[in-house]
Amino acid sequence: MRIVYLHGRMSSPNSQKCKILRENGHEVFAPKLKSTDWAQSVTAAREIIEKVQPDLVIGSSRGGAVAMATNTTVPMVLICPAWGKYAPWSMCRGNSVILHAKKDKIVKFSDSQLLSEASGAKLIEIGKDHRMNDEKAIQTLLSVISEHTS
């Protein structure tokens, strides 16, 4: 599967999740998003989405807000999306899936509940914390991705 991965503010295109996606056979395109430059991040995301025509866009934290701000019609998986902080005007589509840890101390779980209710996106409560690197969260992410290939 062709995936555009949009990393979080304190992450990079070489994040653990990107490595795991590649190890699981996915073709992953991950642009560098400058944490101090919102316009650059959204532009880079739009350009890579247009160029590679992915099957799926995955955005983590700030990257989730960036994904939403692109206004793409490509299905999205949003991991603890920080849309309330970075892009409160944006919306995802009902074909999106949101993964969020209830104990996230960086992005409020209630933000994802609100987003799910407003958009019709499926919300899955999973993970131990904001990083979403625990085994169960990763397996859920891989499972959600596999549902998009069926």
Side-chain angles (χ1 to χ4, degrees), residues 97-128:
V97 177
I98 305 165
L99 304 178
H100 205 133
K102 199 155 200 170
K103 293 182 180 179
D104 187 337
K105 294 184 186 326
I106 296 176
V107 176
K108 296 181 292 190
F109 181 76
S110 60
D111 282 359
S112 285
Q113 288 176 307
L114 179 64
L115 182 59
S116 173
E117 291 165 10
S119 67
K122 181 179 180 179
L123 173 60
I124 300 172
E125 179 192 332
I126 194 73
K128 295 180 179 177

Side-chain angles (χ1 to χ4, degrees), residues 2 15 18 30 49 53 56 70 74-75 86 94 108 113 127 132 138:
R2 293 169 67 85
S15 74
C18 272
I49 290 168
Q53 299 290 304
L56 191 63
T70 68
V74 175
Y86 294 103
K108 296 181 292 190
Q113 288 176 307
M132 298 289 281
I138 294 297

Side-chain angles (χ1 to χ4, degrees), residues 6 38-39 41-43 45-46 49 57 61-73 76 78 81-83 86-93 115:
L6 304 172
W38 175 256
S41 295
V42 175
T43 298
R46 284 183 177 144
I49 290 168
V57 173
S61 193
R62 181 179 179 273
V66 170
M68 290 171 58
T70 68
N71 202 30
T72 183
T73 58
M76 291 190 282
L78 304 170
W83 68 276
Y86 294 103
W89 64 88
S90 63
M91 183 60 57
C92 65
R93 289 176 167 49
L115 182 59

